[in-house]
Amino acid sequence: MNPPAPAPAVIAPDPLRDPALYINRELSQLDFNFRVLAQAMDEQVPLLERLRFLCISCTNLDEFFEIRAAAVRHAQEFGLPPAPDGMSPQAILTAIHDRAAELVDNQYRCWNDVLRPALADAGVGILAQKAWTARQRRWLRAYFRNEIMPVLSPLGLDPSHPFPKILNKSLNIVVVLKGTDAFGRTGHLALVRAPRSLPRIIQLPESLGGSQNFVLLSAVLSTFVDELFPGMEVQGAYQFRVTRNSELVVDEEEVENLALALRDELVDRGYRPAVRLEIAHDCPKPIMQTLLQNFGLYENAAYRINGPVNLNRVIQVYDLLQRPDLKYPPMVPRVLKTPEGIFEMAARRDILMHHPFDSFSTVLELIREAAVDPNVLAIKQTLYRTGKDSGIVEALILAARNGKDVTVVVELRARFDEEANLGLADRLQDAGVQVVYGVVGFKTHAKMLLIVRREGRKLRRYVHLGTGNYHSGTARAYTDLSLITADADIGNDVHLLFQQLSGLAPKMKLKCLLQSPFTLHPGLIKRIERETKLALAGKPGRIIAKMNALNEAQVIRALYAASQAGVQIDLIVRGACTLRPGVEGVSDNIRVRSIVGRFLEHSRVYWFGNNGAPELYCASADWLERNLLRRVETCFPILDNDLARRIYRDVLQNYLDDNLNAWELQADGRYQQCEPAPGQPPHSAQQTLLSGL
């Protein structure tokens, strides 16, 4: 008789995978916009800046639905498994609707009850229809007839006029009609689409009560829409806007030319499946149901709006008004003095810049110097976002025309910059620049520049590495770190990375840099586990990290294990964070805070105590699954001890001391705004850096 087969081994579940230990990413992302909106409600913030924060929260919500909510709907349709938090796609969509509806309600109460009246008190009128004077109404009617009506194409809905295509995030009016037209057709519903060519904000002339009075296009359309339907009775006019899935989907392994495939996708982006309907709060329910049916949406995708459906367009008022008394004081960044030239300075020691407090002009000047320096032989650079009329692009073109060998890795799939990057690639190629589109399946998100220069009988490499894009506009509005170095090992590492990107080089061993998708993720785990071992041995374990978002599950489990061992962990995470701090026995030693202020926090810094020999890295990567596993990213050490101490002081400790613009993440997933403790002086990290200018 054969002995009984041994029972299969029972693998105990990993307690650190418990869904209760994880916060849902989508809901965490939504919560960030509540913190942005809090800036709009803060009376210590200048009034027009408060308006700007309100508009930012609205724009962020648009992008959330275009990308994040659309991805959840995709997961629902294809039956994808739950995320680490255990929520099903259907449960997430329900929670998104409830939380987004709360955010929308707060946004419009902020607009209607707080900011609009405060702006009026400050002499800035954004006038509702009921506030128009008789003269203003006459002027607006004439403006409608002369400037607006000629470009409108109203469409009656009947069997011969089916529901038209509605462009993503465009302003539209649904009109309820009564009567019979010239062809004997009985009126019911009509649509009026506002072309993108029309200004969404109309500035009234000085003669009508001052040039600081504005009217929304949606109000003008709703008021005078009857002129589009002569002989018919307009019984109601209701503005609406539909948001569509804006994630471009290209099967890169199936296309021969990525640029051509993206161009084809961009044509249809504005008409992809709908994910949200915003509609006037007083629109009758049957009309809303008609719209939902035509867009293929359920009622939980509808949001009733008490105000303009495109509230983010009010940001134009900020740009049109010259009211320095209602804006932040102008900031003059530090400019690096380089009388001998940047190459000579960088040859002596590394150069660190903390933007926007340090001017981005130094980076631009580095490329300009390289473009005209006869000793520079080659320039290689990655471009993810550059902005319109980029000085960096002009310098690269000049370098190519001056006979330098210029190679640029242009990431065509930079979200919402795809069309601009296609045009950029064409311009560079026309100038003789070798353009590379990156790696199939991996977005190139790294920010790096390599300059090869002949110095005597040797070639020397100069490198710029950054946490932010080569974009002069965002460099004034985002906090980022960048390093210029002539270190030979870093230069060789960057050289190898460009070989990987532009050629078919195998995976290479780098001496200094960590790289996604190969060594950054395991490198982070290794360093977290090193701090864990130190703590278990009775030595201090310490981790401080600053980033934009955190959701990579293996990194989170490593942090939980480190916390259980006694490692003290401070995370400064601006946006979404799925790690749940403060859970007894698991994350007692982890603290998470978010800073929201004048500038968008964008720098990524990782600091590990390393038993008294600390390591400090800057990176282009957040601790997100996509950044660590599916993108090309760089993480570079700060080797100069003085510069490392400066970053620790200004970018880590300074932000941990903030008790005015900081929000602490609680164990229940909610954020609580920090306040100075009794007897503690108030401290704003960004203001501290501004005061040092």
Side-chain angles (χ1 to χ4, degrees):
M1 183 176 180
N2 294 327
V10 177
I11 301 175
D14 182 352
L16 297 184
R17 295 178 184 267
D18 184 348
L21 296 178
Y22 298 85
I23 299 168
N24 180 262
R25 178 187 174 179
E26 279 65 44
L27 300 182
S28 182
Q29 187 68 40
L30 273 175
D31 272 354
F32 170 64
N33 292 302
F34 282 91
R35 302 195 291 281
V36 174
L37 187 60
Q39 293 290 110
M41 297 293 290
D42 187 348
E43 295 182 357
Q44 301 303 311
V45 175
L47 186 55
L48 282 175
E49 304 294 348
R50 294 169 65 186
L51 178 68
R52 184 175 64 89
F53 279 114
L54 170 63
C55 293
I56 289 171
S57 76
C58 295
T59 301
N60 286 351
L61 189 59
D62 285 350
E63 185 173 335
F64 174 84
F65 275 98
E66 289 177 282
I67 303 300
R68 300 306 315 165
V72 178
R73 289 190 181 277
H74 176 83
Q76 180 189 33
E77 292 169 4
F78 287 87
L80 300 181
D85 58 82
M87 292 182 71
S88 68
Q90 181 56 52
I92 296 172
L93 289 173
T94 300
I96 284 174
H97 178 270
D98 294 344
R99 194 69 172 137
E102 182 183 353
L103 177 61
V104 169
D105 182 61
N106 289 352
Q107 287 171 333
Y108 282 87
R109 281 195 287 109
C110 175
W111 167 245
N112 292 316
D113 302 340
V114 180
L115 293 186
R116 198 172 191 173
L119 286 165
D121 291 342
V124 179
I126 304 176
L127 306 177
Q129 178 187 356
K130 61 184 179 182
W132 299 348
T133 66
R135 289 180 63 227
Q136 289 170 343
R137 187 181 184 90
R138 285 195 298 272
W139 185 89
L140 287 167
R141 183 183 291 277
Y143 183 91
F144 176 81
R145 289 173 173 171
N146 296 328
E147 302 292 334
I148 296 176
M149 193 161 68
V151 299
L152 298 180
S153 299
L155 181 70
L157 299 181
D158 60 33
S160 64
H161 297 87
F163 201 90
K165 284 186 174 183
I166 300 295
L167 185 65
N168 180 40
K169 297 186 296 184
S170 61
L171 173 64
N172 306 273
I173 307 289
V174 58
V175 186
V176 182
L177 299 168
K178 182 180 180 181
T180 305
D181 73 358
F183 294 95
R185 296 175 297 187
T186 301
H188 178 48
L189 287 182
L191 291 180
V192 178
R193 295 177 290 178
R196 289 279 168 91
S197 59
L198 292 176
R200 267 40 181 178
I201 296 287
I202 301 164
Q203 188 169 15
L204 297 181
E206 185 77 34
S207 59
L208 294 179
S211 60
Q212 296 187 31
N213 285 326
F214 303 86
V215 175
L216 293 159
L217 175 65
S218 55
V220 176
L221 287 174
S222 298
T223 302
F224 302 116
V225 71
D226 60 314
E227 301 211 6
L228 297 172
F229 305 98
M232 307 283 283
E233 179 187 346
V234 174
Q235 296 187 316
Y238 311 100
Q239 57 177 310
F240 72 91
R241 190 173 76 137
V242 64
T243 309
R244 299 183 180 276
N245 182 341
S246 293
E247 187 73 274
L248 296 182
V249 180
V250 176
D251 188 346
E252 297 169 33
E253 296 185 5
E254 294 296 322
V255 300
E256 294 182 6
N257 188 310
L258 179 59
L260 288 176
L262 274 174
R263 283 191 170 93
D264 290 342
E265 282 288 310
L266 284 167
V267 171
D268 296 326
R269 172 184 255 175
Y271 301 101
R272 299 194 68 210
V275 292
R276 173 181 62 161
L277 173 68
E278 298 166 281
I279 193 161
H281 71 286
D282 56 348
C283 180
K285 189 169 183 178
I287 295 176
M288 186 182 78
Q289 293 292 351
T290 298
L291 293 174
L292 287 171
Q293 182 179 355
N294 276 282
F295 293 129
L297 295 172
Y298 296 104
E299 199 161 333
N300 69 353
Y303 296 83
R304 288 189 175 272
I305 303 299
N306 185 18
V309 294
N310 53 351
L311 183 56
N312 58 314
R313 292 303 193 110
V314 183
I315 192 64
Q316 294 172 36
V317 172
Y318 181 98
D319 298 324
L320 290 168
L321 279 180
Q322 300 302 314
R323 288 288 301 271
D325 57 313
L326 301 182
K327 298 182 181 182
Y328 284 124
M331 182 195 72
V332 180
R334 289 182 294 262
V335 177
L336 184 68
K337 306 295 185 184
T338 57
E340 75 274 46
I342 298 177
F343 290 120
E344 284 68 21
M345 179 177 284
R348 293 199 309 271
R349 69 175 302 173
D350 292 352
I351 300 170
L352 176 73
M353 288 158 287
H354 188 187
H355 310 299
F357 314 103
D358 293 307
S359 175
F360 188 72
S361 63
T362 303
V363 180
L364 177 56
E365 189 59 33
L366 172 65
I367 305 176
R368 284 176 173 163
E369 277 193 30
V372 298
D373 187 337
N375 294 317
V376 169
L377 306 180
I379 302 173
K380 303 176 191 292
Q381 185 167 12
T382 60
L383 291 179
Y384 191 77
R385 302 188 199 279
T386 60
K388 190 177 180 182
D389 302 322
S390 168
I392 283 180
V393 172
E394 297 304 322
L396 292 170
I397 290 173
L398 175 62
R401 288 174 177 165
N402 284 342
K404 318 295 183 190
D405 184 78
V406 182
T407 300
V408 177
V409 181
V410 177
E411 181 46 72
L412 295 181
R413 296 153 297 180
R415 187 177 294 144
F416 300 119
D417 274 354
E418 298 95 343
E419 189 170 2
N421 283 1
L422 283 165
L424 167 65
D426 289 343
R427 279 196 66 208
L428 291 169
Q429 286 175 324
D430 289 344
V433 174
Q434 178 173 272
V435 174
V436 179
Y437 294 147
V439 181
V440 170
F442 297 87
K443 281 188 181 180
T444 301
H445 192 247
K447 284 70 172 157
M448 55 185 184
L449 163 69
L450 174 67
I451 298 168
V452 181
R453 188 171 188 256
R454 180 171 295 283
E455 297 182 356
R457 296 184 177 182
K458 294 183 179 180
L459 296 182
R460 189 166 193 179
R461 297 186 180 103
Y462 291 85
V463 168
H464 173 268
L465 294 163
T467 67
N469 297 303
Y470 291 104
H471 190 303
S472 58
T474 58
R476 291 190 294 270
Y478 295 9
T479 69
D480 270 306
L481 291 160
S482 62
L483 177 75
I484 298 174
T485 181
D487 181 87
D489 291 332
I490 290 179
N492 191 59
D493 281 357
V494 173
H495 165 74
L496 293 175
L497 289 177
F498 274 111
Q499 274 193 308
Q500 279 187 339
L501 290 171
S502 62
L504 296 173
K507 180 178 174 181
M508 300 175 180
K509 186 174 182 180
L510 305 181
K511 188 168 184 178
C512 295
L513 271 61
L514 299 174
Q515 171 204 11
S516 289
F518 303 119
T519 58
L520 178 51
H521 183 258
L524 289 175
I525 299 296
K526 176 183 176 182
R527 285 159 178 78
I528 295 170
E529 290 177 345
R530 183 182 62 195
E531 298 301 316
T532 304
K533 291 176 182 176
L534 287 170
L536 290 172
K539 299 176 182 178
R542 188 79 171 101
I543 298 170
I544 309 174
K546 183 176 184 293
M547 66 203 75
N548 301 328
L550 165 62
N551 83 330
E552 207 287 310
Q554 190 177 346
V555 169
I556 292 175
R557 290 196 297 272
L559 291 169
Y560 284 157
S563 170
Q564 290 175 323
V567 179
Q568 296 299 311
I569 303 169
D570 281 290
L571 304 175
I572 306 165
V573 185
R574 184 196 76 208
C577 176
T578 63
L579 178 148
R580 193 180 294 277
V583 177
E584 186 177 355
V586 177
S587 54
D588 319 61
N589 295 312
I590 303 178
R591 294 157 296 278
V592 179
R593 57 172 34 210
S594 170
I595 307 288
V596 182
R598 173 175 177 173
F599 307 109
L600 182 75
E601 289 299 329
H602 196 252
S603 53
R604 292 98 165 185
V605 181
Y606 320 146
W607 185 91
F608 303 94
N610 194 28
N611 197 27
E615 291 182 338
L616 188 145
Y617 291 85
C618 298
S620 62
D622 296 313
W623 288 1
L624 288 172
E625 181 182 339
R626 70 180 188 195
N627 296 85
L628 298 178
L629 304 177
R630 297 194 301 276
R631 286 190 173 185
V632 177
E633 305 272 13
T634 50
C635 174
F636 52 97
I638 302 300
L639 301 177
D640 184 302
N641 290 332
D642 290 339
L643 298 184
R645 281 191 288 268
R646 177 186 161 193
I647 294 174
Y648 182 92
R649 180 192 69 230
D650 291 350
V651 185
L652 297 179
Q653 191 60 56
N654 181 35
Y655 281 82
L656 293 177
D657 291 340
D658 194 308
N659 53 26
L660 293 178
N661 298 115
W663 297 72
E664 295 273 3
L665 177 58
Q666 308 299 303
D668 64 1
R670 300 219 170 233
Y671 284 82
Q672 180 177 319
Q673 190 164 16
C674 297
E675 296 179 353
Q680 182 185 35
H683 182 85
S684 164
Q686 291 188 2
Q687 189 56 46
T688 298
L689 294 167
L690 282 168
S691 64
L693 296 179

